[in-house]
Amino acid sequence: TVHLVESGGGSVQAGGSLLLSCTARISGINTIYCMSWFRQAPGKEREGVAGFYWLGDGTTYYSESVNGRATISRDNAKTTLFLQMNNLKPDDTAMYYCAAAEKPHIWNTGWRQIEYFDNWGQGTQVNVSS
């Protein structure tokens, strides 16, 4: 199994920054192919924010809405996924989730496909005020 726990959310003013973390605990022989950050605002569908090709070369992917303002990364021990978000906007207000995929896919598009991800954290709330 893969157990994911997010942290780092909070309330900030527009223009501020937050660092979100997702700790992955893997038991058994699970293999993670890709990990991504998703978010869901009230009344809206869950959307992909950023993805990281975990098993491969660490290629990163970003949605148009955060490109240039967000950086996805992981620690050297390969146990924690990060999302650094800068110049936050009120539209970034949402519950942020990390997710892990245990099956191979084409990740340059698949990183944001909800159905590809088998494991989800409980989420961390981000609130951005104007």
Side-chain angles (χ1 to χ4, degrees):
T1 59
V2 178
H3 183 60
L4 304 174
V5 178
E6 303 97 333
S7 61
S11 297
V12 297
Q13 289 189 327
S17 299
L18 283 173
L19 176 64
L20 307 184
S21 301
C22 173
T23 300
R25 292 183 181 177
I26 304 172
S27 60
I29 58 172
N30 303 76
T31 298
I32 296 178
Y33 285 84
C34 180
M35 289 190 69
S36 293
W37 286 96
F38 292 80
R39 68 185 181 187
Q40 189 167 18
K44 295 187 177 181
E45 294 185 352
R46 191 169 296 192
E47 62 173 355
V49 176
F52 191 102
Y53 185 20
W54 197 262
L55 184 64
D57 59 2
T59 301
T60 57
Y61 312 97
Y62 297 95
S63 69
E64 296 79 5
S65 61
V66 302
N67 195 26
R69 300 188 297 120
T71 302
I72 188 171
S73 62
R74 70 177 173 194
D75 66 336
N76 290 334
K78 299 183 180 181
T79 60
T80 305
L81 180 73
F82 302 101
L83 182 68
Q84 175 69 47
M85 295 196 66
N86 301 318
N87 191 21
L88 283 159
K89 304 175 180 180
D91 283 348
D92 294 318
T93 294
M95 183 71 80
Y96 284 70
Y97 301 90
C98 73
E102 297 184 56
K103 300 180 183 66
H105 291 283
I106 304 300
W107 294 115
N108 61 346
T109 54
W111 70 268
R112 65 200 316 173
Q113 299 298 320
I114 293 173
E115 62 271 24
Y116 288 176
F117 291 84
D118 314 277
N119 305 278
W120 294 81
Q122 83 289 348
T124 186
Q125 180 69 38
V126 172
N127 295 313
V128 184
S129 58
S130 57

